[in-house]
Amino acid sequence: METVSGYIDHITFQNKENGYTVMSVMTEKGSIVCVGPAGGFDEGETVEVEGEYTEHPTYGKQLKIFSVRPVAPTDRVSVLRYLGSGAIKGVGPKLAERIVGRFGEDTMRIMEEEPERLAEIKGISGRMARAITDQMLEKKEQRSLLIFVQQYGLSRNLTLKLIERYGDEVYSVLKSNPYRMVEEIPSVGFRTADEIAAKSGIVADSEYRVRSCLIYVLKLFAAEGHCFVPHDEVVSETVKLLGLEEESGHAITEECIRGLSADRQIVLRNDLGGRINIYLEYYDRVEKECARLLLELKNGFKPAEGHASEKLPAEGDGIELDGLQKKAVDECLKNGVFILSGGPGTGKTTTINTIIAELEDAGENFVLAAPTGRAAKRMTEATSFEAQTIHRLLEINGEVSEGGSPNIFSRNRENPLETDTVIVDEASMLDISLLKSLLEAMVPGMRLILVGDVDQLPSVGPGQVLRDIMESGSFSCVKLDRVFRQAGESHIVSYAHMINEGKHIDLSVKYPDFFLLEKESIKLVHGYLAALCKDVIPRKLGLDGNDVQVLTPMRKGPLGVEGLNRMLQEQLNPPKPSLEEIVYGDTVFREGDKIMQIRNDYNIEWEIRGDYDVSIKEGKGIFNGDVGVIKNINKEYRLVEVLFDDGRLVYYSADKLEELELSYAATIHKSQGSEYPVVILPILDGPRMLFNRNLLYTAVTRAKQCVIIVGSGQKVLEMIDTDSELHRYTSLRQRLIELEEVLE
């Protein structure tokens, strides 16, 4: 561990949210670049930094910050440097010289203890003296708090949130019950609170600790897609995380479950088998509301008179529908809720276009939507009608609920959508929260059409909406299963169906649109991925490098997203004098990089520009999974300009870069709703739970022209044999069945 002392000469970057800072500290031995948590410090301040030296591949030797402690400036030069840095509003270099010239090394004491004496200096009124002192006292209080909480490793941003929430009580909260923060401050997690509690000497079986851990466990399961968790699993996982003795741990956990249930923070429900399931109150309420609203749409719908299946297009009309497709169109027109499912090449698009034509003929209004921007763009191309994301359709306003979804859309039950029919494509990506928001913007009499492939991976968020709705048997549903002749000529389509059915595909033949490159080492896989993306595919298929997407099952490891993106960036978009770049954390963002938004940002502004670079449309909201390219980096203003695939242009300030990651490679889960000309799958080895049939099927169906697998053919066949899709704990299906029985 190294300790250096000096003054902050220059702050290159500082994230206001988490305090991550890149700064130059001038010491007696020269300038040292320090990187890490140092939120709240200003240029000119004297500090003591503790950390260890590391070597950055691009920027060289740096001191990785473990802690920063403010050191009060005492000598004349240090005081002058601090005041002249602009840290105190209203005090510039010239005024700083006059203050220090008058009070010398006693300046800081005078400003804090005898502020009225500042008025002795020409140019400083009594009012200005009080304002300067107020700033000094505020900074002193913040410094005291920063020094106090530094032992807990909290960022300045969190410190300010604690002050805002608790005021003077913050000290007692940290010392006696930091677990309060988990329930009362959204950005604080159990692990953060638990680390503070351990340093504060709070006992391991504290009721506060166990209750907080229970909520944390339920949120972990929700992050994996579950709406509830069986009681025994919750207890077992909680006791394990807390490190408690088996018997005593179970007893205190059971007691805390009863307490949380009494407080309505969780809900206990028995399933049909008598098992007790535990829900976070939010997901219990959302599932219940979705079931009610879906059945309201079904029962409140009255089909228009005059349409019948014999009106549907016949052979010779330019559109040929088979029996199932005709049934789908007819059932759709007769029902308030209709589900159309089917794999690739089964005619979903033809069927939807026919439904749209029927709605137009009947004079009905309709809107098209999808969960992601890419899926909406594909829907627009397939139907020739404008489709938009569900978030845009519902007109987000930026407020966020406890479930992580927009809490209030402008379109809701009081201000419903102005249409007759809502058609949602890629409905397998719908999570339970977004479904609820959509249903709340619809009223009985409207029609909802959900289109998707039920065999795709489920949504990233909690729920398995499409599967639960279909399996409830409560709604009209048609699953197309015929692969049409032209689609059958595609090995992508035929192999996708074989994979879905658990049949081995022939990897010994290299077809133009589907083939395996057998490679046995990570180094060889890396080499072939780079060659394919950089040279072979663009040259042979005439495609841009951005038309090629590497998809992988995992995030970590040399064949995970993080490692592959670093390698591919170096090969496809290496450093050049002509390309500006900016560093955030461990990532270098460079002009020309492919990037992906990795979290929903409901407030960020975007615009679409037309001819002569004139803005023709503006709005808010960029969402998890949206993909684009860095067009420009302004180093002076630290702005990153990103052009997303659907034409939206967004400016990211440096502190917003935590929302982005490189996307030369992406997880298969993140690729849902997207379609790429060429998909490359590096498949060698990894976590067994991720290497299954469902994941492979989803990856293959993302490709439009070609699928290339680089790695182990045997591993591919093992994935096909592994029908171990992770089961999600959801109960929308059962709620629909039970509620329908009551309504009957």
Side-chain angles (χ1 to χ4, degrees), residues 30-259:
S31 180
I32 297 174
V33 176
C34 300
V35 179
F41 289 91
D42 298 309
E43 292 179 355
E45 291 191 75
T46 305
V47 293
E48 185 178 88
V49 182
E50 191 176 55
E52 64 179 22
Y53 285 104
T54 61
E55 191 73 26
H56 191 280
T58 304
Y59 296 97
K61 188 177 181 181
Q62 299 177 335
L63 185 68
K64 184 178 180 181
I65 299 171
F66 286 170
S67 67
V68 182
R69 186 176 69 84
V71 178
T74 54
D75 63 277
R76 184 186 181 95
V77 174
S78 297
V79 173
L80 183 60
R81 185 188 302 119
Y82 174 65
L83 293 180
S85 69
I88 304 297
K89 292 181 180 178
V91 179
K94 291 185 178 179
L95 185 55
E97 286 181 7
R98 293 206 299 273
I99 295 173
V100 176
R102 176 71 177 82
F103 301 116
E105 294 181 0
D106 205 26
T107 296
M108 299 302 287
R109 187 195 66 77
I110 294 288
M111 293 180 74
E112 291 178 5
E113 298 177 9
E114 303 177 64
E116 67 279 359
R117 291 189 59 189
L118 289 174
E120 298 175 11
I121 297 170
K122 185 178 180 181
I124 298 182
S125 64
R127 183 176 179 181
M128 185 178 180
R130 287 191 297 272
I132 291 172
T133 301
D134 287 344
Q135 287 187 67
M136 292 289 293
L137 291 175
E138 182 181 352
K139 284 181 174 291
K140 186 176 182 180
E141 289 173 6
Q142 286 188 7
R143 285 288 178 270
S144 298
L145 185 57
L146 280 169
I147 293 171
F148 172 74
V149 301
Q150 192 162 335
Q151 60 186 305
Y152 301 112
L154 302 185
S155 69
R156 179 176 182 269
N157 182 55
L158 178 53
T159 298
L160 295 177
K161 287 182 179 179
L162 291 175
I163 296 171
E164 182 180 356
R165 178 67 178 80
Y166 300 116
D168 294 338
E169 194 186 357
V170 65
Y171 293 97
S172 63
V173 169
L174 291 177
K175 289 179 178 178
S176 61
N177 181 20
Y179 298 104
R180 280 181 58 183
M181 299 187 301
V182 180
E183 298 178 17
E184 297 169 351
I185 301 177
S187 59
V188 178
F190 171 77
R191 293 193 183 279
T192 298
D194 205 36
E195 289 174 4
I196 295 171
K199 292 173 181 176
S200 298
I202 294 174
V203 295
D205 61 353
S206 158
E207 181 182 342
Y208 299 133
R209 182 174 187 243
V210 179
R211 284 172 64 108
S212 181
C213 189
L214 279 165
I215 298 297
Y216 173 69
V217 166
L218 290 171
K219 288 182 177 179
L220 282 180
F221 275 92
E224 294 176 0
H226 304 287
C227 292
F228 70 83
V229 191
H231 170 278
D232 291 349
E233 287 191 39
V234 175
V235 173
S236 175
E237 191 66 24
T238 301
V239 172
K240 178 182 173 184
L241 277 173
L242 293 173
L244 300 176
E245 293 291 333
E246 193 77 13
E247 186 174 343
S248 61
H250 275 73
I252 184 67
T253 301
E254 293 284 8
E255 183 182 334
C256 289
I257 286 174
R258 289 191 290 272

Side-chain angles (χ1 to χ4, degrees), residues 672-741:
Q672 289 181 95
S674 300
E675 188 176 69
Y676 312 96
V678 178
V679 165
I680 306 178
L681 306 175
I683 296 177
L684 266 182
D685 204 357
R688 185 174 178 81
M689 60 185 288
L690 292 178
F691 281 70
N692 59 53
R693 182 189 306 168
N694 189 232
L695 203 77
L696 181 62
Y697 171 74
T698 300
V700 168
T701 56
R702 298 306 90 204
K704 191 174 182 179
Q705 296 180 31
C706 184
V707 172
I708 304 171
I709 300 173
V710 184
S712 167
Q714 181 59 38
K715 191 66 179 179
V716 174
L717 299 182
E718 288 176 12
M719 290 179 75
I720 295 172
D721 291 337
T722 306
D723 188 18
S724 63
E725 178 185 354
L726 292 178
H727 174 71
R728 287 195 171 188
Y729 294 124
T730 66
S731 51
L732 178 61
R733 170 185 174 275
Q734 192 59 35
R735 290 178 193 263
L736 285 166
I737 293 171
E738 292 173 355
L739 184 56
E740 191 166 38
E741 288 175 354

Side-chain angles (χ1 to χ4, degrees), residues 336-454:
V337 178
F338 174 73
I339 300 94
L340 177 66
S341 184
T346 56
K348 292 195 301 293
T349 299
T350 300
T351 306
I352 285 298
N353 280 330
T354 305
I355 290 170
I356 289 173
E358 289 292 311
L359 295 175
E360 280 195 301
D361 288 345
E364 292 190 31
N365 296 318
F366 58 89
V367 292
L368 310 181
T372 67
R374 272 185 168 251
K377 184 179 180 182
R378 286 180 58 199
M379 196 179 190
T380 299
E381 294 167 350
T383 64
S384 299
F385 289 90
E386 182 183 2
Q388 55 191 315
T389 63
I390 296 172
H391 296 89
R392 285 180 62 192
L393 175 69
L394 299 181
E395 300 172 16
I396 59 170
N397 64 12
E399 296 185 26
V400 178
S401 75
E402 68 269 37
S405 297
N407 191 28
I408 301 174
F409 285 98
S410 296
R411 293 294 180 176
N412 48 42
R413 186 46 58 100
E414 287 70 42
N415 181 32
L417 294 166
E418 297 173 8
T419 189
D420 300 313
T421 296
V422 177
I423 305 175
V424 178
D425 198 10
E426 296 288 354
S428 63
M429 300 175 66
L430 271 176
D431 63 40
I432 195 72
S433 298
L434 191 54
L435 175 67
K436 175 177 175 285
S437 296
L438 176 62
L439 293 173
E440 285 180 332
M442 300 181 69
V443 295
M446 289 184 180
R447 179 193 289 111
L448 174 64
I449 303 171
L450 299 176
V451 185
D453 184 350
V454 74

